[in-house]
Amino acid sequence: EGRKMSKSLGNVIDPKEVLKKYGADILRLWVASCDYAEDVRVSNEILEQTSETYRKIRNTFRFLLGNLADFDPKKDQVDVPALLPVDQWALWRTGQLVKEVTAAFEAYEFHRAIKAVSQFCIVDLSNFYLDILKDRLYTYAANDPARRSAQTVLHAMTHALLKCTAPVLVFTAEEAWENFSFG
């Protein structure tokens, strides 16, 4: 309701309860997504929205890692000039994300970094790139150059996303990191 939290008003949200219900990464994600230059708001609805954002980022990692299970970057990686055009675009877009997130973190504008990662996972990946990759990833032969082109980008993308999310989603990034093959 836009009022300050106060025990006497009975509108306090206990961080321990948030941790118990959502986990540490979601609490950290909420804190990082707040623009501390303005009033910081929290409510059950805001925490639910944060939980949804977290779920989308986590599911992006699951998709990426799941489609890299048979990919060995040392022997399967495709050189950038040989990547399919849409894969070259996705690699370029990933580089843009890294620049944007790095600049936001260096300026201590964590909310900008979180928004960039979230938009990248939802708009660029889930709604576009990963959707059009499914045929190549699921139906093409394991060593098909078009499939390896996609996997090369997914590998680079996973590595970049791990670096972009690790400062905030420490437990999720660590779990993904343990399942990531550096080659």
Side-chain angles (χ1 to χ4, degrees):
E1 296 175 6
R3 297 181 301 172
K4 70 175 188 167
M5 277 201 267
S6 168
K7 287 182 189 176
S8 62
L9 293 175
N11 65 351
V12 175
I13 295 179
D14 185 356
K16 289 179 186 175
E17 293 300 315
V18 174
L19 284 173
K20 190 187 308 182
K21 183 174 181 180
Y22 296 106
D25 273 357
I26 292 175
L27 182 60
R28 292 171 61 92
L29 184 61
W30 167 73
V31 170
S33 65
C34 293
D35 183 355
Y36 58 81
E38 300 176 6
D39 288 340
V40 175
R41 302 197 184 283
V42 66
S43 66
N44 289 325
E45 292 79 21
I46 290 171
L47 291 170
E48 283 295 327
Q49 289 171 352
T50 304
S51 178
E52 183 66 20
T53 298
Y54 169 80
R55 187 183 63 77
K56 289 177 181 177
I57 294 169
R58 182 175 174 83
N59 285 343
T60 300
F61 275 121
R62 289 180 63 208
F63 182 90
L64 294 171
L65 292 170
N67 283 288
L68 291 171
D70 68 336
F71 182 76
D72 179 356
K74 287 182 181 171
K75 66 180 181 106
D76 299 326
Q77 189 162 324
V78 175
D79 292 332
V80 173
L83 294 173
L84 295 179
V86 71
D87 296 331
Q88 289 181 5
W89 170 84
L91 192 60
W92 170 83
R93 181 63 189 95
T94 301
Q96 294 302 112
L97 171 74
V98 170
K99 288 177 187 174
E100 188 176 349
V101 168
T102 301
F105 279 141
E106 287 175 351
Y108 299 101
E109 294 178 343
F110 308 114
H111 64 285
R112 278 188 34 232
I114 296 306
K115 183 177 180 181
V117 168
S118 175
Q119 291 292 75
F120 180 75
C121 289
I122 296 166
V123 177
D124 295 324
L125 298 186
S126 183
N127 292 348
F128 177 66
Y129 183 65
L130 300 181
D131 191 47
I132 62 173
L133 282 188
K134 290 177 183 171
D135 283 343
R136 269 197 283 161
L137 294 171
Y138 300 160
T139 64
Y140 286 34
N143 287 319
D144 188 289
R147 185 169 184 273
R148 292 302 190 201
S149 175
Q151 287 180 306
T152 297
V153 173
L154 294 183
H155 188 268
M157 198 176 275
T158 303
H159 195 221
L161 272 174
L162 281 168
K163 290 180 178 182
C164 289
T165 59
V168 176
L169 302 177
V170 293
F171 299 110
T172 303
E174 181 180 8
E175 181 183 356
W177 194 268
E178 290 172 354
N179 292 291
F180 182 63
S181 172
F182 290 93

